[in-house]
């Protein structure tokens, strides 16, 4: 449309321009500082068990202009920012985002139904449901998640590592090594998985136990979902696409560690949880079976149940897989290696990229492969992975050779080798162009992961966590760990 003949009034154009200027002029460091200051006060009030003060501070935070600005920024910068809800609305411009800030209010708030889609479940042929809220509902969830996060972090199990600030799967692996590595460590492991965790949590339990505005929480939980142009009610569970859902799931599962410590004091029983997957070490198989029933009773109250197929008891000599690694003792020595499933998935992923790259240039192929290689290698670099890296380098080289042969079926081996592989330093087979080269898995050096102070709180011990993250980023330049306000996705790089 010709702007000169636009039907939009000049006043409206000027308003949009003013809103965009307001959004672009926000000082985000000040906004974050304001939000963190209130979050820290909430965390201190939780430690002191001043619950009325916690509620008043949460009210202040959810009505603070800085928090509303940050909530809008969170939902317009994450991976789902281009996926609309049932209303088809997206916030793509600066004026849209600034208008959204003024719309975030609890007055007469009513959540719209979620858009239900099904996405492939990693490593399987099945699909899992994903419920997508509208942009305004996502922002409201982000706003109330900012108020709930200090409560969740302060009350969390010390050995819970998934969907937590400044914690990672590597921290879980390091603690599991501490519990299992010694000669006199527990020999039996209960591998637990909760069946449909997000989809089956009891709404009544959440409303009675989660420290958040119950009216707003009820809107999040009871919104329903639309699938195939039909509206379905939600009587239980939290939407997997919701920003606040990981926090609610964590709060629901917190308490297992304290329960086991009370039931089995001064024993070799250790609890490690990442999201809805967990491990429990036990000195005997009989005790592991008893612990399984204790956890089953704990979950039943919350509307949850253990997966019969995925919850198993294993001897450490036989080994088990957890978070993409295989834990196993060889002649009394514990080794943690990338699991065969994890190796198979990264191989399949690279094969898929090469299949799609039949007509790509070499530079485009390198640009697509390097983030995948670096991300996977960084995820596994703190364990016994050097042999696996060399093996994967060999597999990738053979895949690339076949890719090059398919592109030039009439050319000989020498021509193909000279066309795509070159000498660099002491290496003769480097897949590179004049400006880019493929990074090998073995280029990533093995580096042990620094152990986490389990009792540290990200809101009360920010200097410790900031220093720890700075050290990790100096050692791993391609680090994928971000200083975010809350994590809302599982680690996909290494699994």
């Amino acid at each position: 449309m010709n702007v000169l003949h636009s039907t939009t009034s000049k006043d409206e154009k000027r308003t949009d321009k003013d809103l965009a200027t307001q959004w672009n002029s926000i000082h985000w460091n000040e906004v974050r500082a304001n939000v963190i200051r209130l979050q820290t006060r909430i965390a201190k009030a939780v430690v002191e068990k001043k619950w009325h003060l916690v509620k008043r501070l949460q009210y202040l935070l959810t009505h603070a202009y800085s928090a509303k600005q940050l909530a809008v920024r969170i939902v317009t910068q994450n991976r789902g920012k281009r996926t609309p809800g049932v209303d088809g609305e997206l916030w793509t411009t600066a004026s849209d985002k600034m208008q959204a800030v003024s719309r975030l209010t609890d007055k007469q708030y009513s959540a719209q139904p979620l858009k239900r889609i099904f996405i492939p479940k990693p490593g399987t042929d099945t699909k899992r449901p994903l419920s997508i809220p509208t942009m305004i509902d996502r922002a409201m969830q982000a706003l109330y998640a900012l108020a709930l996060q200090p409560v969740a972090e302060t009350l969390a199990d010390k050995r819970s590592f998934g969907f937590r600030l400044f914690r990672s799967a590597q921290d879980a692996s390091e603690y599991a090594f501490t519990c299992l590595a010694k000669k006199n460590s527990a020999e039996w492991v209960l591998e637990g998985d909760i069946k449909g965790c997000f989809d089956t949590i009891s709404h009544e339990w959440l409303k009675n136990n989660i420290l958040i505005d119950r009216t707003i929480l009820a809107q999040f939980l009871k919104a329903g979902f639309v699938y195939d142009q039909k509206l379905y009610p939600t009587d239980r569970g939290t939407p997997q696409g919701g920003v606040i859902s990981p926090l609610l799931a964590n709060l629901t599962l917190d308490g297992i560690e304290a329960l086991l410590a009370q039931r089995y004091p001064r024993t070799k029983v250790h609890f490690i949880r990442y999201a809805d997957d967990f491990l429990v070490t036990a000195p005997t198989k009989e005790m592991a079976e008893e612990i399984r029933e204790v956890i089953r009773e704990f979950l039943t109250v919350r509307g949850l149940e253990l997966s019969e197929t995925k919850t198993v008891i294993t001897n450490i000599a036989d080994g088990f897989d957890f978070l993409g690694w295989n834990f196993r003792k060889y002649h009394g020595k514990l080794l943690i290696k990338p699991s065969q499933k994890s190796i198979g998935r990264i191989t399949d992923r690279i094969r898929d990229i090469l299949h799609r790259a039949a007509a790509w240039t070499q530079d485009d192929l390198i640009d697509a492969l390097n983030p995948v290689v670096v991300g996977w290698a960084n995820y596994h670099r703190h364990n016994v992975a050097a042999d696996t890296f060399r093996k994967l380098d060999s597999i990738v080289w053979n895949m690339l050779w076949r890719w090059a042969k398919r592109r030039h079926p009439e050319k000989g081996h020498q021509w193909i080798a000279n066309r795509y592989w070159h000498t660099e330093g002491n290496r003769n087979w480097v897949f590179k162009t004049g400006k880019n080269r493929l990074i090998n898995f073995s280029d990533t050096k093995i580096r042990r992961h620094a152990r986490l102070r389990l009792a540290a709180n990200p809101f009360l011990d920010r200097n410790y966590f900031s220093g720890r993250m700075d050290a990790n980023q100096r050692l791993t330049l391609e680090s994928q760990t971000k200083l975010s306000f809350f994590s809302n996705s599982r680690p996909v790089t290494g699994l």
Side-chain angles (χ1 to χ4, degrees), residues 109-112 114 137 141 144 203-204 206-208 210 212-224 233-239 244 248:
Y109 171 68
S110 178
Q112 298 183 61
L114 308 154
D137 291 333
Q141 288 190 26
Y144 279 82
H203 285 182
E204 286 303 313
L206 288 173
K207 287 188 285 187
N208 292 332
I210 302 300
I212 192 175
D213 188 313
R214 291 188 182 182
T215 304
I216 300 297
L217 179 61
Q219 288 295 323
F220 293 157
L221 298 177
K222 300 293 186 181
T234 47
D235 299 321
R236 57 178 182 170
T238 61
I244 203 171
L248 298 177

Side-chain angles (χ1 to χ4, degrees), residues 192-207:
D193 181 85
I194 300 170
K195 184 177 180 182
C197 178
F198 283 90
D199 300 325
T200 57
I201 298 175
S202 167
H203 285 182
E204 286 303 313
W205 190 93
L206 288 173
K207 287 188 285 187

Side-chain angles (χ1 to χ4, degrees), residues 38-247:
L38 279 171
Q39 288 180 315
T40 302
R41 292 179 63 189
I42 293 171
K44 289 180 179 178
V46 173
V47 171
E48 296 168 358
K49 295 183 172 16
K50 298 179 178 178
W51 305 117
H52 291 294
L53 178 59
V54 170
K55 290 182 179 180
R56 289 201 297 271
L57 291 172
Q58 284 184 320
Y59 181 87
L60 283 177
L61 181 56
T62 55
H63 291 74
Y65 197 64
S66 294
K68 294 179 180 181
Q69 290 175 325
L70 187 58
V72 172
R73 192 174 198 228
I74 287 170
V75 300
T76 54
Q77 286 192 332
N78 63 16
R79 288 186 296 178
K81 62 183 179 181
R82 295 185 180 90
T83 305
V86 292
D87 60 356
E89 181 181 8
L90 290 175
W91 299 337
T92 56
T93 66
S95 60
D96 291 340
K97 298 170 187 177
M98 202 65 216
Q99 284 179 337
V101 173
S102 61
R103 292 169 57 192
L104 292 184
T105 176
D106 59 351
K107 294 180 180 178
Q108 299 180 340
Y109 171 68
S110 178
Q112 298 183 61
L114 308 154
K115 182 171 72 173
R116 173 65 60 90
I117 62 173
F118 289 85
I119 60 175
K121 195 171 183 179
T124 66
D125 296 329
T126 60
K127 293 187 176 183
R128 64 181 179 89
L130 184 68
S131 299
I132 302 172
T134 61
M135 291 297 294
I136 189 66
D137 291 333
R138 271 179 256 177
M140 284 293 288
Q141 288 190 26
L143 177 62
Y144 279 82
L146 289 172
L148 185 60
Q149 184 109 54
V151 178
E153 289 290 341
T154 307
L155 298 179
D157 288 345
K158 290 185 175 64
R159 291 152 187 85
S160 164
F161 300 96
F163 305 132
R164 297 284 305 279
L165 283 175
F166 306 108
R167 294 192 176 209
S168 64
Q170 288 75 17
D171 293 318
S173 168
E174 183 66 26
Y175 185 72
F177 180 85
T178 302
C179 297
L180 296 167
K182 296 179 181 178
K183 290 185 179 180
N184 61 347
S185 296
E187 296 183 356
W188 292 92
V189 177
L190 169 64
E191 305 170 59
D193 181 85
I194 300 170
K195 184 177 180 182
C197 178
F198 283 90
D199 300 325
T200 57
I201 298 175
S202 167
H203 285 182
E204 286 303 313
W205 190 93
L206 288 173
K207 287 188 285 187
N208 292 332
N209 293 274
I210 302 300
L211 204 60
I212 192 175
D213 188 313
R214 291 188 182 182
T215 304
I216 300 297
L217 179 61
Q219 288 295 323
F220 293 157
L221 298 177
K222 300 293 186 181
F225 66 89
V226 174
Y227 179 68
D228 197 19
Q229 297 183 341
K230 293 182 181 179
L231 177 63
Y232 297 88
T234 47
D235 299 321
R236 57 178 182 170
T238 61
Q240 289 208 32
V243 176
I244 203 171
S245 296
L247 283 178

